[in-house]
Amino acid sequence: MENILVIGAAGQIGSELVIALRKVYGNEHVFATDIKDLPRDLKDGGPSAILDVMDDKRLIHFVIRHKITQIYHLAAVLSGNAEKLPLQAWHINMQSLLNILDLAKVADDVHRIFWPSSIAVFGPTTPKQNTPQLTVTEPSTVYGISKLAGERWCEYFNTGYNLDIRSIRYPGLISYKTEAGGGTTDYAVEIFYDAIQKKEYECFLKKDTALPMMFMQDAVDATVKLMTAPKEKISVKSSYNVGGISFTPEQLAEEIKKHIPDFKVSYKPDFRQQIAESWPQSINDTQAQKDWGLETKYDLEALTEVMLKGVGEKFGKY
Ligand code: AKB
C-alpha cells in the first residue's frame, strides 16, 4: 500500500497532480501539503496539512507518522522570481530538495521520490532545436543553476544510496485551474486570462520567441506514467527531457484570435526575454518515449480550445 506526500500541492502542478494521484492510489492515501492554505477541493477530497519543506524536523515527523512511501516535492521559486532574489531562491530550491533526499536515507518506508526539473537547465550554449537528453548544460539563470545542481544531487543519491528518485525537465506548463507564478513561460497562461477578460494582452516576450510548452493534462499524465513505471525501465537517473509542443507568442495569439477575432496583443519585452532566449526552442524527448512510454495529446489548437473554455467558465464568459 502506498502513502503519497505531495509538497507544494497548492501550486500550478500540485493542484492537478493531487487529484490524479488520488484516482490512482485512493483519496485517503494522498496527503496534499503546502506552506499556504490549500484549495477547497484538495482539502475536502483527502488528507491535507500545512507543511513547510524547509522545516526538516517537522517534515521527518510527518513522513514517519503517516508512513509515507512516496514523496512528490513540487515547491520551488520559478525563473522570473528567482532572478529578483537569487540567493534566497537558491537556498529555497536547493535546501528543500536536500531535506527530502536526506530524509529518504533514513525514512525506511520512503521508496520513491519525484522532483521536477526544467528546460531551464539548458543555457545559451545548448543546441536550441530538438535539444538532446544529453548535451551542454550551462544555465545562465539562478533557477536553471538550482535545477541543474538538483539533477546532479538526484543522480548522486540514486546511485550512491540506491534510492529511486525520478524527475522530468518540464517545459512551460499551461493550465487554468491554478495560475503559475513567477515563471518565464507564464505569458502562455496570462494571455488566456486577458483574452477572456479584456480582449487585449501585453506580452513580456517578443512575438517570435519560441519555447517548448505543454498542457497540464499531458504533464500530469507523463508524471504519473514515469512514477508508475518499473524501476528497471528508468535509465536516466538525473531528469528526463519532455518536450510537448513549441510555439511563439504570436502563434498562440493567432490561435486565440480564431475564437476571439477582436483580441489584440502588444509586445513589451522585459528581463524575462533574456531568460527565454537562453532556453531551447524545442526538445528531443525520445528517451522518455522509449523508457516509459511518454505520449502527449494536446497540440496548440486543442490546448487553446480547452484553455479558453476553462478560463471562460471561471469568469462566466465565452
Ligand atoms: C519557468 O518559466 O520558470 C518555468 C519553467 C520552464 O521551469 N515554467
Side-chain angles (χ1 to χ4, degrees):
M1 195 216 295
E2 300 284 355
N3 285 319
I4 318 272
L5 168 61
V6 180
I7 294 164
Q12 193 198 11
I13 304 172
S15 63
E16 302 206 30
L17 187 59
V18 166
I19 310 281
L21 292 172
R22 283 181 175 162
K23 282 190 189 133
V24 178
Y25 297 101
N27 287 359
E28 66 284 12
H29 294 294
V30 180
F31 294 76
T33 71
D34 206 295
I35 195 172
K36 57 177 189 256
D37 199 22
L38 289 146
R40 189 78 266 155
D41 63 330
L42 297 196
K43 285 204 268 198
D44 291 348
S48 67
I50 298 288
L51 186 66
D52 181 358
V53 63
M54 301 299 279
D55 183 348
D56 55 343
K57 290 193 180 57
R58 189 146 180 255
L59 186 67
I60 192 149
H61 281 135
F62 191 97
V63 165
I64 288 165
R65 189 162 130 234
H66 296 288
K67 299 188 169 42
I68 297 297
T69 59
Q70 294 190 32
I71 303 176
Y72 289 68
H73 169 31
L74 308 174
V77 183
L78 296 185
S79 57
N81 279 350
E83 290 309 302
K84 293 176 196 157
L85 286 167
L87 292 185
Q88 203 171 319
W90 166 260
H91 178 62
I92 292 170
N93 289 356
M94 286 326 303
Q95 196 54 50
S96 63
L97 174 62
L98 291 173
N99 285 352
I100 302 284
L101 297 179
D102 209 36
L103 97 75
K105 283 194 308 190
V106 291
D108 291 338
D109 288 338
V110 176
H111 69 94
R112 193 165 295 167
I113 292 170
F114 178 78
W115 173 78
S117 186
S118 162
I119 54 160
V121 296
F122 302 116
T125 51
T126 304
K128 288 237 174 294
Q129 302 294 346
N130 202 26
T131 303
Q133 173 69 43
L134 206 56
T135 184
V136 181
T137 44
E138 294 185 318
S140 53
T141 62
V142 70
Y143 174 66
I145 298 169
S146 74
K147 287 296 181 188
L148 182 59
E151 285 191 7
R152 298 289 85 225
W153 277 113
C154 287
E155 177 144 1
Y156 180 83
F157 273 76
N158 263 328
T159 48
Y161 296 101
N162 199 21
L163 293 175
D164 184 4
I165 307 147
R166 305 183 183 189
S167 175
I168 283 175
R169 290 171 175 158
Y170 286 126
L173 297 180
I174 302 177
S175 64
Y176 57 82
K177 185 179 176 196
T178 307
E179 278 182 70
T184 301
T185 56
D186 290 9
Y187 91 82
V189 175
E190 287 175 12
I191 193 169
F192 287 101
Y193 281 81
D194 282 8
I196 292 283
Q197 290 177 284
K198 304 192 267 182
K199 293 193 178 182
E200 58 181 39
Y201 177 62
E202 186 179 274
C203 183
F204 58 75
L205 296 183
K206 288 185 194 161
K207 63 181 176 185
D208 57 353
T209 314
L211 285 169
M213 300 277 186
M214 186 177 257
F215 186 57
M216 186 58 82
Q217 186 62 56
D218 278 338
V220 165
D221 289 350
T223 308
V224 172
K225 221 168 189 181
L226 168 69
M227 287 298 280
T228 49
K231 194 175 175 190
E232 61 276 11
K233 298 269 181 204
I234 308 301
S235 69
V236 176
K237 305 289 179 195
S238 52
S239 188
Y240 277 95
N241 271 12
V242 160
I245 48 174
S246 288
F247 55 79
T248 64
E250 189 175 35
Q251 285 166 330
L252 179 54
E254 286 310 312
E255 197 56 44
I256 295 173
K257 275 188 210 166
K258 290 183 190 163
H259 302 262
I260 307 174
D262 51 347
F263 177 47
K264 290 199 171 34
V265 182
S266 56
Y267 298 91
K268 199 171 169 210
D270 67 14
F271 71 100
R272 287 168 284 192
Q273 180 63 33
Q274 207 184 343
I275 301 178
E277 279 173 18
S278 77
W279 288 352
Q281 296 180 350
S282 62
I283 298 283
N284 182 318
D285 56 21
T286 46
Q287 192 69 47
Q289 292 174 36
K290 209 171 95 203
D291 285 4
W292 45 271
L294 168 71
E295 0 169 71
T296 49
K297 296 194 182 79
Y298 288 84
D299 58 12
L300 180 57
E301 202 181 316
L303 84 78
T304 302
E305 230 175 275
V306 59
M307 280 298 289
L308 286 173
K309 192 163 176 291
V311 178
E313 274 166 10
K314 277 189 165 179
F315 296 99
K317 288 183 183 176
Y318 183 66

